[in-house]
Amino acid sequence: MNIQPSTNLLYEGKAKKLFATNDPEILWVEYKNSLTAFNGQLKDSLTGKGALTNQISCFLFDQMNKNDIPTHFVEQTGELTHIAKKVEIIPLEVVIRNLTTGSLCKRLGIKEKIRLPRPLLELYYKDDDLGDPFVSDEHALLFGWSNENDLSEVKRMALKINTILGELFDSIGIILVDFKLEFGKTSDGKLVLADEISPDTCRFWDKDTMEKLDKDRFRQDLGDVLGAYQEIFNRLQDAIK
Ligand code: TMP
Ligand code: ASP
């Protein structure tokens, strides 16, 4: 079927709009140029940002599909758009950390930029009003945000994704510091990786210079956010040549 978007806007978030299509199981995703941080307290718009995050995310989801990680991603349909399977999102943000930085250091007083002996997996409850609080497996199970089977599969997939992405970025001179994933269930009950993987949701540091090439440039007011995102896109293009 030739998928066409409808004008029926189903959802508008901080970074994306979701439209219904002529297939009830398929959504039309349109990336926005807006950038937010600290739960929306810091806001800006950057022309060209949406095209970069969409294209980077499409590229990385395609790599996941090719590596037997089931995802919601179907195909890119334009610079700013792609189509994806409709899913019910599990309300957990899964963060994987390879090096220490960000909220981990703030919360626990841990030193910055230390490589962890193994990846650290954390769960956050996806609720903007509460500021996405840190939670344990026990909270996730007890309050029914997930179940034992799904949660162990989510963790297995997240760690596999970390290995695949880590090697890919290493091959283009970038350290995958940490990142956030979201998972969902399709209407037939299949668990899939969803949302996005981009410099908005990952931390990328240049291997040689340790320069930050992700949304921390915006969070910390380091300048040239677009240049950093473009650099990630360019290097990924080189990775497949
Ligand atoms: P943190 O150090 O602020 O907890 O962030 C860990 C990783 O998760 C980092 O790569 C950025 C990403 N992240 C999101 O994608 N969305 C969010 O809302 C937050 C807080 C972090
Ligand atoms: N994505 C979150 C926000 O929009 C937080 C962050 O990435 O820092 O506020």
Side-chain angles (χ1 to χ4, degrees), residues 46-49 52 56 199 211-214 217 223-235:
L46 267 182
T47 306
K49 204 268 314 194
L52 285 167
I56 292 167
E211 188 186 7
K212 294 177 179 175
L213 298 170
D214 56 68
R217 298 203 71 82
D224 201 17
V225 178
L226 214 55
Y229 284 36
Q230 185 72 53
E231 179 69 21
I232 296 291
F233 180 65
N234 294 349
R235 289 203 209 176

Side-chain angles (χ1 to χ4, degrees), residues 60-61 64-65 69-73 85 87 89 157-158 161 165 179-185 190-197:
L60 295 174
F61 270 86
M64 293 303 113
N65 283 340
I69 301 280
T71 81
H72 73 153
F73 176 71
K85 288 177 202 150
V87 297
I89 290 283
M157 280 165 72
I161 293 164
L165 286 182
F179 57 97
K180 184 262 303 178
L181 301 172
E182 293 183 29
F183 293 84
K185 287 268 189 106
K190 194 172 175 205
L191 184 69
V192 296
L193 176 67
D195 196 50
E196 76 177 272
I197 310 176

